[in-house]
Amino acid sequence: MNNNDIIIRRENENDYREVENLAREAFWNQNCEGCHEHLFIHKMRSHPDFIPELDFIAELDGKIVGAVMYCKAKLADEKGCEKDIVTMGPLCVLPEYQRRGIGKALLEHTFGLAGDMGYDVVINFGNPDNYVARGYKSCKKYNVCFEGDIFPAALLVKELNSGALDGRKWFYHPSDVDAPIDTDSQEFLEFDALFPHKEKRWKPSQEEFYIHSHSAITW
Ligand SMILES: CC(C)(COP(=O)(O)OP(=O)(O)OC[C@H]1O[C@@H](n2cnc3c(N)ncnc32)[C@H](O)[C@@H]1OP(=O)(O)O)[C@@H](O)C(=O)NCCC(=O)NCCS
C-alpha cells in the first residue's frame, strides 16, 4: 500500500453504514466482548455537540478504511472560566489496514483543521500507546482533571497551540454524547442486528483496556 493513494475526505450520508461497520470491525472484542462504537457513532452524528466539519474518513481504492470524529467539550478553571475545546473519537482503522499510518494521517489532517477553526486543545480518553507519538501528553502534565481532582491515566491532552494551557487547574467537561451505551438494551440489540454476525470472545486487549481505563495518576 502506498500512503499517497489514501484519500482523506469528509464523511457524507452515503458513507454512514460503511463507517459504522468499519468501527464495529475495528473495535470488536478490542475493549470488551463485542463493542458499542457503531451505535455510538450513529447517535453522535445527530448530537448538537458533534462537529461535522471534523468528520473525516480515509479511502483507499474506493473502500473506506479509516474514520475519525470529534465533538465539542469544555474545560473550566477553578473560578468557573470556561474554554471551548474538542474531544477526539472514535478514531478507527480497519484491522487489516492498521499500523500503516492511516490513523496518523487522519489525526494530522483534522488537527490542522481544528486549529484553523480556533480550537487549541484536543482531549481523548484512550490507550496512550496510540497517541503519544501524535504529541498527546498525560492530563497530569497540563493539570487537566475530572471533578474531584482525578487525573485518569487514559485522559490524554494535546495542545494544538503550544502554551494554550497555562498551568492553572482545568476541569474537563466532556459532552453528554459520551454517556455509556447499554449493550443489553433493545435499542442496541436492534441496531447491532443490522450488521453481519460476529463472535464475541475474550482478548488480552480487554484486560489492557481495563487497566488503562481504571488507573489514575496520583504523583
Ligand atoms: C488505534 C488505531 C486507530 C491506530 O490507527 P493506525 O492506522 O493503526 O495507526 P498508525 O499506523 O497511524 O500509527 C500511529 C502511531 O501509533 C503507533 N501504534 C499504532 N498501533 C499501535 C499499537 N497497537 N501498539 C503500539 N503502538 C501503536 C504507531 O507506532 C504509530 O506511531 P509512529 O507514528 O511513531 O510510527 C487503530 O489501530 C484502530 O482502529 N484500533 C482499534 C480501535 C481503537 O482502539 N481505536 C482507538 C481508541 S482509543
Side-chain angles (χ1 to χ4, degrees):
M1 183 190 90
N2 181 343
N3 276 10
N4 293 331
D5 297 336
I6 296 171
I7 295 168
I8 295 195
R9 64 162 175 84
R10 286 271 299 274
E11 186 193 38
N12 65 55
E13 279 187 31
N14 296 330
D15 303 321
Y16 282 5
R17 190 49 52 88
E18 188 175 350
V19 170
E20 289 158 6
N21 192 55
L22 183 165
R24 189 169 178 263
E25 292 292 328
F27 282 99
W28 194 259
N29 293 332
Q30 176 79 14
N31 299 336
C32 60
E33 293 195 8
C35 73
H36 64 266
E37 280 77 5
H38 45 315
L39 179 58
F40 177 60
I41 286 175
H42 184 74
K43 291 164 75 98
M44 183 181 180
R45 293 192 193 98
S46 55
H47 191 283
D49 290 333
F50 180 62
I51 308 176
E53 297 87 345
L54 297 177
D55 174 15
F56 274 82
I57 58 116
E59 199 173 57
L60 186 64
D61 300 330
K63 179 176 175 176
I64 301 175
V65 296
V68 67
M69 295 177 190
Y70 291 75
C71 62
K72 296 172 192 167
K74 288 193 187 295
L75 295 178
D77 71 11
E78 289 176 288
K79 292 180 178 161
C81 175
E82 288 190 337
K83 179 178 178 62
D84 291 328
I85 61 155
V86 292
T87 301
M88 190 283 294
L91 167 70
C92 44
V93 173
L94 277 179
E96 59 272 33
Y97 292 89
Q98 289 176 6
R99 310 212 68 176
R100 302 183 198 181
I102 295 172
K104 174 180 176 177
L106 280 165
L107 286 181
E108 290 183 347
H109 184 76
T110 49
F111 287 165
L113 293 175
D116 293 345
M117 290 170 74
Y119 293 107
D120 54 19
V121 174
V122 181
I123 289 194
N124 56 280
F125 199 81
N127 183 338
D129 282 352
N130 294 325
Y131 299 109
V132 289
R134 300 282 73 75
Y136 282 86
K137 292 185 179 166
S138 163
C139 63
K140 183 81 175 170
K141 292 199 171 162
Y142 290 118
N143 215 2
V144 173
C145 59
F146 281 133
E147 294 291 348
D149 289 3
I150 297 163
F151 293 88
L155 189 64
L156 306 169
V157 179
K158 179 179 167 72
E159 287 184 327
L160 296 175
N161 280 328
S162 179
L165 296 169
D166 47 15
R168 77 181 106 157
K169 185 186 285 180
W170 292 99
F171 297 101
Y172 173 48
H173 296 294
S175 165
D176 60 15
V177 74
D178 266 339
I181 288 181
D182 177 1
T183 52
D184 291 325
S185 67
Q186 196 60 27
E187 179 192 29
F188 178 83
L189 296 172
E190 283 175 12
F191 185 71
D192 194 58
L194 301 172
F195 296 84
H197 175 75
K198 287 180 80 68
E199 286 297 327
K200 291 184 180 181
R201 68 177 176 90
W202 183 84
K203 278 173 59 176
S205 59
Q206 294 164 17
E207 191 59 23
E208 195 182 338
F209 176 77
Y210 178 90
I211 293 167
H212 281 305
S213 60
H214 288 76
S215 304
I217 295 176
T218 55
W219 71 88

